[in-house]
Amino acid sequence: MMPKVYKEVIDLGDGREISIETGKLAKQAHGSVVVQSGKCMLLCTVVSNYEQKDLPFLPLTVDYREKFAAAGRYPGGFFKREARPSDGEVLTMRLVDRVLRPLFPKNYSAETQVMIQLMSHDDDVMPDAMAGLAASAAIQLSDFPFECAISEARVGRVNGEFIINPTRAQLAESDIDMIIGASADSVMMVEGEMDEISEEEMVEAIKFAHEAIKVQIDAQHRLADAFGRKEVREYEEPVDNEELVKKVHDMAYDKVYAVAKAGSSKHERSAAFAAIKEEVKASFTEEELEEFGDLVSDYYRKAEKAAVRDLTVNEGLRLDGRKTDEVRDIWCEIDYLPSVHGSAIFSRGETQALATVTLGTSRDANQIDMPSHEGEERFYLHYNFPPFCTGEARPIRGTSRREVGHGNLAQRGLKGMVPDDCPYTVRVVSEVLESNGSSSMATVCAGTMAMMDAGIQMIKPVSGIAMGLISDGNTGKYAVLSDILGDEDHLGDMDFKVTGTADGITACQMDIKVKGLSYEILVAALKQARDGRLHILTKLTDTIATPRADVKEYAPKMVSVRIANEYIGALIGPGGKVIQELQKETGTTIVINEDPVTEEGVVEILGTGQAGIDAVLAKIDSITFKPVVGDTYKVKVIKMLDFGAVVEYLDAPGNEVLLHVSELAWERTENASDVLSMGEELEVKYFGIDKRTRKEKVSRKALMEKPEGYKAPAPRERSNDRGGRDNRGGGRDNRRDDRKRD
């Protein structure tokens, strides 16, 4: 019997729709939905165990996977099976996780899993924009303790008009690509890239997306009501011990306030806070600590947070002694590593990033192979965050989701400033060597300088800054913090990172932790961020004002030339022989691609020595050489024959042509050796294809003055030209006839 299906439809306002349905698939999950737009279908299931874990955090896993069958494709690799998630899938997981996690109760610690799967793909629908909608809709059908429904939407702008969930083709023309996550009354997450837009334009885009999100949330409520809302599950909620709260607060608050006001370094401050905590705990008996130890630690953290926030809001001071709009001390250096193609150090306070640049050919492009998107990146950035950068020792088990996310943000901030005609594939790697807040923005700054040091002709330099917010809901006071520390990130109400040039924003990532943040505060924060960005930008340009005019001496030079399609095979040679030998002889790397539009061959030549590159260019000129009828060329005699000489064009070595004995001089010449000698250089005139012989014709005598009273000599007998070959051919025929008779 077919189960009853419940369905709601969301109108996107331009003829497109998104549907949410439940009741047909995955009914043993605690909540499941299928979200569909066009032919794109996402299945989302949510499950949360009923047993609470003894953990101080929510063990939430958000998993997003794209099935290759969804696009009618096979997975790559030997086993032909989906394995570890791609970077694109990891980025979608982070987009959803960052909005969902704050809406679970802080003391809820049951193992919770959100699984989103692309089951059917549509080239005109980008599925990542619907993942947040699917996750929230599934949770609304469950019994989870979850604060409120949310959704996410992508916003683009084409020809000045905002578009919700644009197609990939529309996105290619858009100057904005942002995904916004929000509840009905609060924006919670923003991430995206822009083409140097203003702060006001960014806020307008967020507002536009938020209105669309409200419509999607209404559809979730209707679906949950029709399906039947479940009673929220019960779980053990700890009750505050008010007497203990007051005791810990009274003992710790003033001392923490004093340490925070002292403006000490990260390690000094951490040690001082730890000492205060131990002093508080020492005031309790062993029996009390055994019973209330966890609560004492929890209440101390609350007192510490309150003291630091109050210091900033009331006095405008911060943990390291700065004012709210001050940026930490910065120093920069370029060309630090002697063997790499480009390098730079960016050090701001206790955060430091060392960026390197490597230049390559199109063969080094980053290949993207996902069911929803295939392509390649000629510019990409990798971000590494080793444990020593925070003074920790822990095992390294592959690239973390955080590293993927931070690297992607820095890449989006920089890529728009790499010119379209850059001939190289550019890989930037950021090694975070110290971290106390905003290492991703340090990566942007170091990456800018490293690319300029490498000779990449960036359109404009880019800087980045991480901002914070501390607000007092009771008094309405707030403080926007420029260049936040790691502690301020944890204690604050907003963490947003902004990258841009002197003319506008190129990328952003924003997580808002306070409800109902006004757009006025958001605009004020973005404008303060602009002041900070411009200050940092001056430090970068003081270090390196413009890109190097050329790549470094030991870095590879890239030359790109186009050849007609008909010559590609000749350049490659049988089995790749010609191109392989050419690379070996010249010490270069040669890559040949075919332009899909013009069908020309695009030849990339990469080499550290100009002589090697010139040798390859000469070979290409030789292969593609086409003499022009009526032009004169210098040639060299390379072979003597009875009926003429084989000559080679000096401008195109390897290109040979027969100079017939009749074209050597006006007077009759019996043997070419009477006039020419091996290795002799001379000039000839090119006449194109001879109609009689159907071969190319060149002439020496055409460049000589005709003798007075000249009479053309009698025609030569054909046997002088071809008799030998004809006889040889006849001989072979006779031998074959003899064998047949035998």
Side-chain angles (χ1 to χ4, degrees), residues 282-300:
S283 66
F284 295 90
T285 65
E286 289 186 9
E287 291 78 10
E288 287 174 324
L289 288 177
E290 187 174 346
E291 183 177 359
F292 303 118
D294 290 342
L295 288 179
V296 171
S297 296
D298 188 36
Y299 296 158
Y300 169 77

Side-chain angles (χ1 to χ4, degrees), residues 62-66 85-99 116 128-129 131-132 152 154 179 189 191 193 366 368 370 377 381 400-412 415 509:
V62 175
D63 197 83
Y64 171 82
R65 301 298 177 100
E66 297 188 355
S86 65
D87 283 0
E89 289 168 319
V90 168
L91 294 171
T92 303
M93 297 174 197
R94 283 174 52 84
L95 286 174
V96 178
D97 186 293
R98 285 160 49 201
V99 183
I116 310 164
D128 58 342
E152 295 179 349
R154 172 177 271 111
I179 289 186
M189 185 277 298
E191 178 156 336
E193 60 188 83
N366 185 35
I368 301 173
M370 296 175 64
E377 293 174 327
L381 185 149
S400 69
R401 292 187 180 187
R402 181 182 183 278
E403 288 173 308
V404 172
H406 279 42
N408 179 67
L409 173 61
Q411 177 176 322
R412 299 178 89 173
K415 73 176 185 180
Q509 183 182 92

